[in-house]
Amino acid sequence: MTLQDVLNVLMLFVIGIVAYVLILKVIDFEPSSKRKRLSKVLNDSEDERKTIRSRYPFLNYLVPSYVMEQAEQYHKPYTKQMYVTYFITGTVIGIIAFFVYFKAFLTLIPLSLLGGVVATIIKLHTIKRDYIQETDHHLSVYMSSLTTAYGTFGNLKGAISSILPSLEEPLKSRLEKAYLILSEGKTPKQAFHDFNKAYPQKIVLLFHDQIQVIEDSGSSDTSRLREVANQMKKKEVFKQRLAMVYRSQFKIWRTLCLLMFSIPFMFILISYDNFLAIQNNAVSNIIMFIALIYVLFIYTRLAKIEIYDPTDS
């Protein structure tokens, strides 16, 4: 490759960066005509203005602030430095892929920025997966412990105060808040309102509903509460087994990727000229592109399996 070729590639890459910035501006664009503002004031109607992101939610993942906000929901740091690091790493991998597998289409090298976007999304998925696994475990411990303590004390506030020291943050803080609300004479439904919003799982909602039923009836029977807690434990065990299946399937996926993307290098064993011919052949590049789309599709399916919730239906 000549110096001129390198300069051309760099120019294309700069154009890609500029295009990416412009795309961020466009997908955040929101119409703001005076006519619509006046209509909103006079009719007090729902705001009809929609950004492109609201129409096409998948575009959110192109916006760094959205990805970082999503990570905050899972109580994990995703700083700008981390985002930039993963974005640059993914982009570099994308550039290498263009030179190795898509050399016939080097004019499209600005699309290597999509490699950076994919890398940041994969990191976000990892954060979400870890959060879900940790949360399920903490909720299982909480529900089992509270059920046992409730049966022992026969008193909700006494049961909560006895298990608080054994719980992990942030669940502990949320339960402390519920305890304070109960101490004000409020109902369990009111006390656990924010807790339910923080953990909107059906089993958690059912668990707290059963507590309300017990308090309303004045019963000391916690058998139904124990059944719900056991459901949560079964869910945790099921997802652990599912994670094991995922890991074995993911190993197969990695092997498939290795085999598919090592094919061009096999031609080096025959002749380096053959390897160059494959590199610069548009048909072989298209085949490798289809292979890339296929392995990414399989990854998205595996990622969904990894965080699948059997009670979320």
Side-chain angles (χ1 to χ4, degrees):
M1 180 178 287
T2 65
L3 177 60
Q4 185 61 45
D5 292 334
V6 173
L7 292 176
N8 289 339
V9 169
L10 289 175
M11 181 61 68
L12 287 170
F13 189 68
V14 171
I15 292 173
I17 294 175
V18 173
Y20 177 69
V21 173
L22 290 175
I23 289 172
L24 293 182
K25 296 293 184 182
V26 169
I27 63 180
D28 273 331
F29 175 74
E30 184 176 351
S32 56
S33 66
K34 292 181 180 180
R35 180 178 59 80
K36 287 190 175 182
R37 290 202 302 269
L38 181 60
S39 174
K40 183 176 184 296
V41 172
L42 294 178
N43 300 321
D44 194 28
S45 61
E46 182 181 356
D47 188 6
E48 296 179 353
R49 295 173 295 169
K50 291 185 177 181
T51 63
I52 296 177
R53 286 169 59 186
S54 65
R55 294 189 184 98
Y56 308 103
F58 66 89
L59 292 176
N60 285 319
Y61 292 100
L62 297 177
V63 183
S65 59
Y66 174 83
V67 176
M68 289 184 281
E69 287 170 4
Q70 289 294 302
E72 286 180 5
Q73 295 182 10
Y74 308 125
H75 307 286
K76 293 289 184 179
Y78 203 149
T79 63
K80 291 181 178 179
Q81 292 81 0
M82 288 175 61
Y83 183 92
V84 170
T85 299
Y86 282 101
F87 186 84
I88 291 176
T89 301
T91 301
V92 170
I93 293 173
I95 292 172
I96 294 172
F98 258 97
F99 277 100
V100 176
Y101 302 109
F102 312 116
K103 200 170 182 179
F105 300 100
L106 274 183
T107 52
L108 298 178
I109 200 169
L111 294 178
S112 60
L113 290 169
L114 292 177
V117 175
V118 171
T120 59
I121 294 175
I122 291 175
K123 176 59 179 176
L124 178 61
H125 168 76
T126 302
I127 291 174
K128 182 178 181 179
R129 177 203 63 198
D130 293 344
Y131 170 78
I132 290 175
Q133 291 176 351
E134 291 174 6
T135 300
D136 283 348
H137 174 68
H138 293 162
L139 286 173
S140 179
V141 171
Y142 154 69
M143 293 167 70
S144 296
S145 301
L146 184 58
T147 300
T148 301
Y150 202 2
T152 302
F153 287 88
N155 176 290
L156 182 57
K157 288 196 295 183
I160 291 176
S161 63
S162 70
I163 69 169
L164 275 173
S166 63
L167 299 180
E168 301 284 344
E169 295 290 354
L171 191 147
K172 181 178 180 180
S173 296
R174 300 190 191 283
L175 190 59
E176 286 175 342
K177 183 178 180 180
Y179 179 83
L180 292 175
I181 295 174
L182 282 172
S183 299
E184 295 173 357
K186 301 293 180 64
T187 65
K189 183 176 182 179
Q190 294 170 317
F192 289 110
H193 176 73
D194 289 342
F195 193 108
N196 290 340
K197 286 181 65 177
Y199 306 104
Q201 299 185 27
K202 290 183 179 180
I203 292 182
V204 175
L205 301 179
L206 179 61
F207 183 77
H208 292 147
D209 285 345
Q210 289 301 314
I211 291 178
Q212 181 67 60
V213 170
I214 293 173
E215 289 291 305
D216 290 343
S217 64
S219 172
S220 59
D221 183 11
T222 59
S223 59
R224 178 55 184 155
L225 206 59
R226 175 64 65 185
E227 288 178 11
V228 178
N230 288 339
Q231 287 178 23
M232 185 64 197
K233 184 62 180 178
K234 290 178 181 177
K235 172 188 170 181
E236 183 189 7
V237 172
F238 174 83
K239 294 184 75 172
Q240 287 175 350
R241 292 174 179 172
L242 199 62
M244 292 177 62
V245 173
Y246 165 82
R247 283 192 290 270
S248 63
Q249 294 296 319
F250 188 67
K251 288 180 181 178
I252 297 173
W253 177 82
R254 283 188 300 182
T255 303
L256 175 65
C257 291
L258 181 62
L259 290 174
M260 292 180 69
F261 293 107
S262 63
I263 290 175
F265 296 99
M266 294 179 182
F267 287 90
I268 296 179
L269 300 176
I270 303 173
S271 169
Y272 184 69
D273 290 337
N274 288 337
F275 173 71
L276 293 178
I278 290 294
Q279 268 192 314
N280 294 283
N281 184 273
V283 175
S284 65
N285 284 190
I286 292 172
I287 292 173
M288 293 308 298
F289 176 74
I290 294 173
L292 175 63
I293 296 299
Y294 176 73
V295 297
L296 287 176
F297 173 75
I298 296 299
Y299 174 81
T300 59
R301 303 301 297 177
L302 289 174
K304 288 181 180 180
I305 292 174
E306 189 180 24
I307 60 175
Y308 170 69
D309 185 350
T311 64
D312 188 18
S313 58

